[in-house]
Structures are given as structure tokens and as C-alpha cells.
């Protein structure tokens, strides 16, 4: 019997996993594919608020239920400690002594295979099957090279699987769930998640105290953006003190301003569709610029923030003519918070305490020049903001 072993966190299991399972069974001509959710993955820590291992197992039963040949295996869930693949394979080898085991993995896991616990022993127990991606990226060339090395040096049996795949990640799916815009999930999986309130799905996040909102916001960002978001919140609060705005609203706007930034273009469009947002041609063609708009909608619909906060987030990338004090503060705090590094930032950091409008104009002027240099289309709101603050600044200089 040809037995595939498909492990993962499945946090949560999505349609990309289900498609991969169906493709593996067909392409590898498997008699059975064991889906093995990890209790405690050695390579990563699970996102905060994730369901327990037993609950992920229950989600897997639903997500893979319709795939003939797929079988959910609780071997890692029942075992204590870290879920090392070598231990799983040894147990399966004992359980299925006559069968051919094929260990399935994605390209990133395959490329780090040498760092796994006892790779030689794994190779002695199972063939390795690497799942292909639709796009033939440079990564695949590295896979081919690594496969050759493992065959030559360790006598590994490596199979390159020609499979269709869906470009979706569990972290994106988790963000969609928190933003109440589920996608790429089996409807019964969504139902179960919603009922249990996992991944913040359906949770009441309106009017949370700042500390709690901060933790949730940080959990929805990529690692690299967290310090920027914190820097923006703190700078905005300090500027609010200086210029007479509400520091609490400034801090809340700052911590939420990039809340949807981790979503890519296609994902931004999904969120816009979920909330019925009308888009201009420029926005449809440059969906990466949409995070300010989707962030504002999430701030209102999910976090229940006031219109002042919502507007400050809405305008934070483009600015606009005649911004409110809070809008100006978020625009400029985002631009010059302590993690930002570009020529002239120190001058801006100095100016912002002395003349807020002059700092806004300087920020807009640099942003507009940058867009022009990149030969990108200029947002009409940025242009009208630039004109407005240029006139304002000139007027104040002439007084
Ligand atoms: Fe932003
Ligand atoms: Fe930002």
C-alpha cells in the first residue's frame, strides 16, 4: 500500500490544504493519505488565540471529510512534547511495516529539511514528496538542487509533485476571520469556528480598553510591522498632547492605522467586496494602496471606533485638503515615527513640534516626489492635499 503522510499545523485547515490533499492522492497514486495535525510544531509557535490541538483535529475532520482517500491521524496529538516527524514516522513504520511511506512537504519545509531532527533516519523510513507551486519561482530551482543533493549524498528518494495549488496561507485566513470576511474555508469549518469564536471570529471587539486592542492589533501584524505600529501610536499620542487633540483617540488611531496592511492586493480586494466598498479605477488597479481604506472600515465595523478615528485611518496614506487635527497627527506620525529612516526625517521630526502644517506639507511634498520618481500614478487626494498645504504654508510664511 502507498501511504502518504501530510503533516502540518492546519491552523486552520483551509481549501488550499484540501486541494493539496486531493492532488497528492491523485498525483502520487496513493492508497491513503494520512493527514497529521501537529500538536506542538517544532518549527513555530502557534498564533495566540489558536484552538487547542484537539480542536484543530476536529476542524481537520470537517475540512478533509469530503476527500476520498484522506484519513485524519491523531498520532501527534496523542503524543506528549514536540511533534517531531522522525517520531511520527517511526510509529507509523511500526504500525504499517509492509507499506511504502511517502512524507509530503511544501517547498519551504523541504529546503530546511537538513535542519530537522534526524533527517537521515527519516530518509531511511520514507520517500520525500515536495509539492510544486503553480508559479515556477526561483525557489523551485533550489528545490531541484536540494533534491539532487539529498539523493546523491544520503540516498534519499525525492519525488517532485506536479500539483495545482491555491495561493493562500493560514495566517491570511486567520486575518480574514478576525475581520469577519472568511474565505478559502469549507463552510462547515467557518460555522464551527464562528460558533466557538476561534481566531477572534465573531468576537465582540468594540470599545476595548487600549491595552487589549493593542495586543489584538499586534497579533494581526507581521513581525516586521509591529514596531512601526507601536511607534506611530506613541508618536501620535505625544503629538496630540502638543497640539491639543485627544491623546487616547490618537493612540487608538495609531495602533489600528495599518491593521489590514499584512493583506496583499487580492486580499485587499476581498475585504473591499466583503464590506461593499466602491473603488476607483486607480484603486482597483493598485489594490496594495487600499490598506488605509480597508483599515478604516475594520476600525469601524470590528473595533467600533468613532468617526474621528475612522477618518484618521482612512486618510493616513494620501492625506487630503483640510485635514482635521487628528487626521494630520496620524498622517505625520505614520511618516516620521522613530522607526522611519529616510533623508530629511530628522528635520521633519524637529519641525513637527513647531509648525504642524509645515511638517504636513513637507511630508506630502516628499511623498508626492517619491511617487513621481517611481512613475506611479498620483492619487488625486494626495495632489489636492499637496496644493492645499502648499498654499497654507506660503500664506503663513507671508504673514
Ligand atoms: Fe499605512
Ligand atoms: Fe503605517
Amino acid at each position: 500500500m502507498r501511504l502518504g503522510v501530510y503533516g502540518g499545523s492546519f491552523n486552520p485547515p483551509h481549501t488550499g490544504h484540501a486541494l493539496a490533499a486531493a492532488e497528492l492522492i491523485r498525483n502520487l497514486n496513493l492508497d491513503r493519505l494520512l493527514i497529521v495535525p501537529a500538536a506542538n510544531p517544532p518549527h513555530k509557535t502557534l498564533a495566540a488565540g489558536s484552538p487547542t490541538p484537539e480542536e484543530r483535529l476536529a476542524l481537520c475532520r470537517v475540512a478533509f471529510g469530503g476527500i476520498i482517500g484522506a484519513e485524519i491521524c491523531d498520532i501527534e496529538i496523542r503524543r506528549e512534547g514536540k511533534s517531531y516527524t522522525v517520531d511520527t514516522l517511526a510509529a507509523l513504520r511500526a504500525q504499517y511495516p509492509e507499506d511504502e511511506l511517502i512524507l509530503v512537504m511544501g517547498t519551504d519545509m523541504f529546503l530546511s529539511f537538513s535542519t530537522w531532527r534526524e533527517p537521515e533516519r527519516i530518509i531511511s523510513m520514507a520517500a520525500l514528496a515536495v509539492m510544486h507551486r503553480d508559479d515556477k519561482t526561483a525557489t523551485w530551482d533550489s528545490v531541484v538542487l536540494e533534491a539532487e543533493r539529498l539523493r546523491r549524498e544520503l540516498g534519499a528518494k525525492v519525488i517532485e509533485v506536479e500539483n495545482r495549488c491555491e495561493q493562500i496561507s493560514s495566517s491570511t485566513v486567520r486575518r480574514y476571520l478576525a475581520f469577519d470576511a472568511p474565505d478559502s474555508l469549507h463552510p462547515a469549518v467557518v460555522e464551527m469556528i464562528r460558533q466557538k469564536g476561534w481566531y477572534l471570529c465573531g468576537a465582540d471587539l468594540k470599545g476595548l480598553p487600549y491595552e487589549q486592542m493593542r495586543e489584538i492589533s499586534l497579533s494581526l501584524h507581521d513581525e516586521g510591522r509591529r514596531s512601526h505600529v507601536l511607534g506611530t501610536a506613541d508618536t501620535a499620542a505625544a503629538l496630540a498632547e502638543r497640539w491639543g487633540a485627544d491623546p487616547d483617540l490618537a493612540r487608538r488611531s495609531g495602533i489600528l492605522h495599518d491593521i489590514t496592511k499584512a493583506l496583499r492586493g487580492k486580499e485587499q480586494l476581498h475585504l473591499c467586496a466583503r464590506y461593499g466598498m466602491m473603488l476607483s479605477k486607480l484603486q482597483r488597479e493598485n489594490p496594495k494602496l487600499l490598506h488605509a481604506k480597508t483599515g478604516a472600515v475594520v476600525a469601524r465595523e470590528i473595533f467600533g471606533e468613532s468617526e474621528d478615528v475612522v477618518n484618521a485611518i482612512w486618510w493616513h496614506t494620501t492625506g487630503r485638503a483640510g485635514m482635521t487635527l487628528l487626521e494630520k497627527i496620524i498622517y505625520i506620525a505614520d511618516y516620521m515615527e522613530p522607526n522611519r529612516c529616510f533623508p530629511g526625517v530628522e528635520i521633519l521630526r524637529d519641525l513637527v513640534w513647531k509648525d504642524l502644517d509645515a511638517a504636513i506639507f513637507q511630508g506630502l511634498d516628499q511623498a508626492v516626489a517619491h511617487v513621481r520618481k517611481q512613475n506611479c500614478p498620483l492619487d488625486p487626494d494626495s495632489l489636492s492635499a499637496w496644493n492645499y498645504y502648499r498654499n497654507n504654508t506660503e500664506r503663513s510664511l507671508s504673514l
Side-chain angles (χ1 to χ4, degrees):
M1 188 162 74
R2 275 168 77 79
L3 202 57
V5 180
Y6 181 18
S9 316
F10 301 113
N11 189 31
H14 52 66
T15 49
H17 294 129
L19 175 65
E23 289 284 293
L24 288 165
I25 292 168
R26 190 169 60 87
N27 282 309
L28 294 172
N29 201 19
L30 299 175
D31 296 291
R32 216 189 300 172
L33 177 67
L34 299 179
I35 310 286
V36 191
N40 196 357
H43 295 280
K44 57 179 164 187
T45 42
L46 295 181
S50 297
T52 64
E54 288 74 16
E55 291 165 343
R56 279 187 284 117
L57 188 76
L59 284 173
C60 284
R61 289 196 202 288
V62 177
F64 295 97
I67 296 167
I68 307 299
E71 186 181 305
I72 309 301
C73 174
D74 64 358
I75 192 166
E76 292 193 357
I77 304 283
R78 282 188 281 111
R79 203 170 61 227
E80 301 274 298
K82 291 264 182 202
S83 304
Y84 289 109
T85 302
V86 68
D87 300 334
T88 303
L89 284 178
L92 291 172
R93 186 35 74 232
Q95 197 177 341
Y96 303 99
E98 303 298 322
D99 297 328
E100 187 182 351
L101 295 179
I102 302 170
L103 177 67
V104 173
M105 62 191 80
T107 50
D108 47 345
M109 293 310 279
F110 178 71
L111 290 173
S112 67
F113 178 71
S114 302
T115 66
W116 292 20
R117 176 174 281 204
E118 298 184 62
E120 286 94 346
R121 198 162 151 234
I122 293 178
I123 282 169
S124 74
M125 293 186 281
L128 309 182
V130 196
M131 283 188 274
H132 211 294
R133 299 174 84 89
D134 267 350
D135 49 340
K136 299 213 168 181
T137 56
T139 313
W140 192 252
D141 295 336
S142 322
V143 167
V144 172
L145 283 175
E146 179 64 0
E148 276 167 16
R149 191 187 71 80
L150 289 173
R151 287 184 192 113
R152 193 176 57 243
E153 291 179 13
L154 301 177
K157 187 174 175 201
V158 183
I159 309 164
E160 293 153 27
V161 189
E162 289 285 331
N163 58 292
R164 287 179 297 155
C165 69
E166 201 181 328
Q167 300 288 348
I168 185 89
S169 69
S170 288
S171 55
T172 296
V173 169
R174 288 196 295 272
R175 287 178 182 124
Y176 279 161
L177 287 165
F179 301 149
D180 197 24
D183 190 43
S184 304
L185 289 168
H186 189 297
V189 169
V190 177
E191 179 72 23
M192 189 185 265
I193 289 173
R194 204 183 282 282
Q195 264 182 21
K196 305 279 185 181
W198 294 326
Y199 310 109
L200 303 171
C201 182
D204 182 6
L205 304 180
K206 293 191 166 66
L208 291 180
Y210 176 73
E211 291 305 317
Q212 243 172 303
M213 195 168 77
R214 175 179 176 272
E215 289 318 301
I216 290 174
S217 167
L218 295 181
S219 77
L220 293 168
H221 282 290
D222 285 335
E223 185 78 41
R225 189 151 298 274
R226 289 183 191 137
S227 48
H228 163 67
V229 166
L230 288 169
T232 304
D234 291 344
T235 304
L239 286 172
E241 297 271 9
R242 165 68 182 90
W243 293 109
D246 182 331
D248 188 44
L249 291 187
R251 196 174 270 117
R252 294 176 82 85
S253 309
I255 205 74
L256 288 180
H257 82 285
D258 274 345
I259 190 76
T260 60
K261 180 83 175 183
L263 299 178
R264 294 162 303 175
K266 174 174 156 265
E267 299 158 359
Q268 292 291 343
L269 292 175
H270 170 67
L271 213 56
C272 291
R274 159 67 183 85
Y275 287 105
M277 292 165 68
M278 302 293 287
L279 300 178
S280 67
K281 188 166 175 283
L282 181 72
Q283 287 171 328
R284 275 197 309 277
E285 287 169 0
N286 298 280
K288 278 188 179 170
L289 305 176
L290 283 173
H291 78 274
K293 312 306 179 201
T294 53
V297 173
V298 163
R300 182 170 60 201
E301 300 296 325
I302 303 296
F303 292 93
E305 290 301 311
S306 66
E307 284 306 299
D308 289 345
V309 169
V310 170
N311 281 324
I313 297 173
W314 181 274
W315 297 111
H316 88 263
T317 51
T318 58
R320 67 161 159 170
M323 285 189 269
T324 65
L325 180 55
L326 188 61
E327 287 165 16
K328 286 193 250 188
I329 285 172
I330 297 303
Y331 178 85
I332 203 68
D334 178 36
Y335 205 79
M336 44 58 77
E337 59 87 19
N339 298 283
R340 294 285 198 196
C341 182
F342 55 86
V345 70
E346 291 305 336
I347 297 169
L348 200 56
R349 282 191 186 125
D350 190 42
L351 184 61
V352 77
W353 303 102
K354 297 174 185 154
D355 185 339
L356 184 59
D357 279 8
I360 293 281
F361 175 65
Q362 203 162 109
L364 282 163
D365 195 45
Q366 289 193 13
V368 165
H370 180 72
V371 171
R372 289 213 164 111
K373 202 167 143 200
Q374 306 254 306
N375 246 340
C376 292
L378 185 62
D379 191 290
D381 291 320
S382 295
L383 188 59
S384 69
W386 183 83
N387 275 317
Y388 181 93
Y389 286 97
R390 186 190 55 178
N391 292 339
N392 250 20
T393 312
E394 277 173 2
R395 212 171 25 247
S396 71
L397 284 176
S398 65
L399 285 176

